[in-house]
Amino acid sequence: SAPPEGAPEDLIAEIPDCRPIPDGPLRPDRADSPADDGAVSGGMTLRSPSGPPDIAGFDILSRLGRSGRGASFLCRHRASGRTTVVKVVRSSQQAKGGMLGLLREALANLAGLRHEGLASVLDYGVSDFGAAGWGFCLEMEYCAAGSVQRAAEEKGGRLPAHEVHDIIRGSLRGLAYAHALNVVHGNIKPANILLAADPAGGSAKVSDFALRRILESV
């Protein structure tokens, strides 16, 4: 029988080269992992507990956005000249016990993830301001095309099927790599999937990996 008048039609899209996820546990695909650029130092310094962020070695060019307890800034790394993104999170509450040590350990684990489907953490730093609180900063790979959410909004809320295929495929490869290392994202959404170039280029990178879970733990 015909569908009721005004009912939405079923949408079937054929997407080429769409292979099923294999059975069994997913393992890191080392062939997909870019060469490690060296150990991440964890040496970034956030100099102030409040006011405009002052990050040693970086010039802030603009604020990109704010979410939850943090804000993201487009920055220039003075020593290398690279354009990068720094996420800053601060709390006015004094750190208790070994909280900051656990936070450093969690951020170091994130910095160890290296895969073309993940936005790399390039450096990080945790700062203790005593009675004035604590904070941390996280330098991340800059993805010039912004988020999938922004790309969809710029196209009226929908992306072409072939672009969606590339984005999902790239994101799943990054997630599979992280899951095989027992690291879970915990907050996958279009705003947390970034595009290093035009979405047709298949350059989707999952970002803010496990940050929500880390913040909930401190």
Side-chain angles (χ1 to χ4, degrees):
S1 61
E5 187 176 347
E9 296 180 3
D10 290 338
L11 175 63
I12 299 176
E14 241 180 78
I15 303 178
D17 191 31
C18 188
R19 290 171 287 180
I21 296 175
D23 294 330
L26 292 166
R27 302 295 181 191
D29 188 349
R30 300 295 178 181
D32 286 341
S33 304
D36 196 352
D37 293 327
V40 175
S41 69
M44 293 179 72
T45 302
L46 183 62
R47 289 171 167 161
S48 58
S50 60
D54 183 0
I55 308 161
F58 291 83
D59 294 320
I60 294 179
L61 305 179
S62 63
R63 190 165 86 170
L64 296 175
R66 188 173 188 86
S67 60
R69 295 163 64 180
S72 297
F73 300 87
L74 183 66
C75 298
R76 180 180 293 109
H77 184 255
R78 291 179 195 145
S80 67
R82 68 175 175 259
T83 301
T84 189
V85 173
V86 176
K87 181 177 285 289
V88 175
V89 175
R90 291 182 288 194
S91 172
S92 59
Q93 297 182 351
Q94 185 169 0
K96 297 181 180 178
M99 186 189 80
L100 296 186
L102 292 174
L103 181 56
R104 288 188 184 94
E105 182 179 351
L107 295 178
N109 288 337
L110 293 189
L113 298 176
R114 284 290 185 271
H115 190 276
E116 64 178 11
L118 306 179
S120 297
V121 173
L122 305 177
D123 206 351
Y124 65 93
V126 178
S127 299
D128 187 355
F129 303 117
W134 57 270
F136 73 84
C137 44
L138 195 67
E139 182 192 2
M140 300 172 64
E141 176 183 356
Y142 174 51
C143 295
S147 69
V148 169
Q149 178 174 312
R150 190 180 83 177
E153 289 171 352
E154 290 175 350
K155 296 188 178 183
R158 308 183 78 174
L159 292 173
H162 69 279
E163 291 184 10
V164 173
H165 166 256
D166 288 342
I167 289 166
I168 292 176
R169 186 174 179 81
S171 301
L172 288 178
R173 290 169 76 89
L175 289 171
Y177 165 80
H179 289 177
L181 297 176
N182 297 317
V183 180
V184 177
H185 189 288
N187 192 27
I188 286 290
K189 57 185 179 181
N192 284 341
I193 300 176
L194 305 180
L195 302 167
D198 186 87
S203 54
K205 294 176 178 286
V206 179
S207 70
D208 282 0
F209 222 97
L211 270 187
R212 181 177 177 179
R213 297 169 68 88
I214 290 171
L215 289 173
E216 287 172 351
S217 70
V218 297

